[in-house]
Amino acid sequence: MSRPAGPALLLIDVLNDFQFPESGKLLRYALPAARRIARLRQALKADGIPVIYVNDNFGRWQSDFKEQVARCTSSECPGREIASLLLPQEDDYFVLKPKHSGFYATPLEVLLGYLGVRDLILTGFATDICVVYTANDAYMRDYGLTVVSDCVAAESLPANRLALEQMKSRLKARVVKSNSLLKNRS
């Protein structure tokens, strides 16, 4: 199926149980970012931009994406509020990843080719780990990068700033706030 070339919105590790040491530090920044991701996702989807969930399998090798959603929205899950804000819709795409990068050992590159995507809009958690590793691998594959600075989060503001600066200076990413993308679409 041939589709016109355009960007895709990547939601990196937003369906997260937040059951790991220091998760409270990340949750503090992730929840406000998730609210902005939800607004951005809605606007970009309305413009026909595909949404792709690029999510860690968290070592659960026998689970699938639906099980991941169910676990992350369960009442005992610390990440349930974020997962509930960002529930995938029927026409969204998903890729489960075993490591930090969305490209490593996943079909992401094949999916992007199928969709005709050459530019990626990156959102998600954690900026200084999975977002930057995905951005690095995208850069190595010549994808254009936009990182939405208020739609990503790390465990600390300095770690977040450093990762954003690295993506901007080393990976030639355009770093913007969500309002600028929303403004361009109205």
Side-chain angles (χ1 to χ4, degrees):
M1 170 188 248
S2 178
R3 297 174 187 259
L9 175 64
L10 269 57
L11 281 69
I12 301 167
D13 288 342
V14 299
L15 299 174
N16 192 320
D17 59 16
F18 286 88
Q19 293 179 338
F20 54 87
E22 309 296 326
S23 66
K25 291 179 181 180
L26 180 55
L27 269 168
R28 173 183 178 198
Y29 300 109
L31 184 55
R35 290 183 181 117
R36 290 185 290 271
I37 293 169
R39 284 191 297 275
L40 182 64
R41 177 187 66 177
Q42 181 180 358
L44 296 182
K45 278 190 76 144
D47 283 351
I49 292 174
V51 173
I52 304 171
Y53 288 77
V54 179
N55 225 93
D56 203 305
N57 71 5
F58 300 104
R60 297 175 183 264
W61 291 95
Q62 294 174 317
S63 69
D64 62 20
F65 191 69
K66 288 181 182 182
E67 288 177 36
Q68 176 100 350
V69 172
R71 191 177 81 260
C72 291
T73 55
S74 67
S75 62
E76 66 276 357
C77 183
R80 71 184 168 282
E81 188 174 357
I82 291 172
S84 296
L85 278 170
L86 297 171
L87 284 173
Q89 297 173 355
E90 192 173 307
D91 59 341
D92 291 336
Y93 299 91
F94 64 88
V95 172
L96 284 176
K97 61 187 182 68
K99 292 286 187 182
H100 306 317
S101 171
F103 287 92
Y104 178 76
T106 76
L108 180 58
E109 193 167 12
V110 174
L111 174 59
L112 295 172
Y114 167 76
L115 295 172
V117 168
R118 292 304 313 156
D119 295 296
L120 304 176
I121 302 167
L122 304 181
T123 65
F125 321 125
T127 316
D128 57 336
I129 304 170
C130 296
V131 175
V132 77
Y133 282 105
T134 299
N136 184 72
D137 282 357
Y139 175 77
M140 298 296 284
R141 290 166 172 80
D142 295 321
Y143 287 93
L145 294 171
T146 298
V147 181
V148 189
S149 63
D150 59 342
C151 291
V152 294
E155 289 180 9
S156 73
L157 293 177
N160 197 60
R161 279 192 296 271
L162 184 61
L164 289 169
E165 181 54 39
Q166 179 183 356
M167 287 184 279
K168 183 177 181 179
S169 65
R170 301 282 189 251
L171 307 179
K172 311 300 182 233
R174 185 173 73 125
V175 178
V176 300
K177 293 214 178 250
S178 59
N179 284 341
S180 72
L181 290 177
L182 295 170
K183 198 181 308 178
N184 294 338
R185 301 222 151 0
S186 15

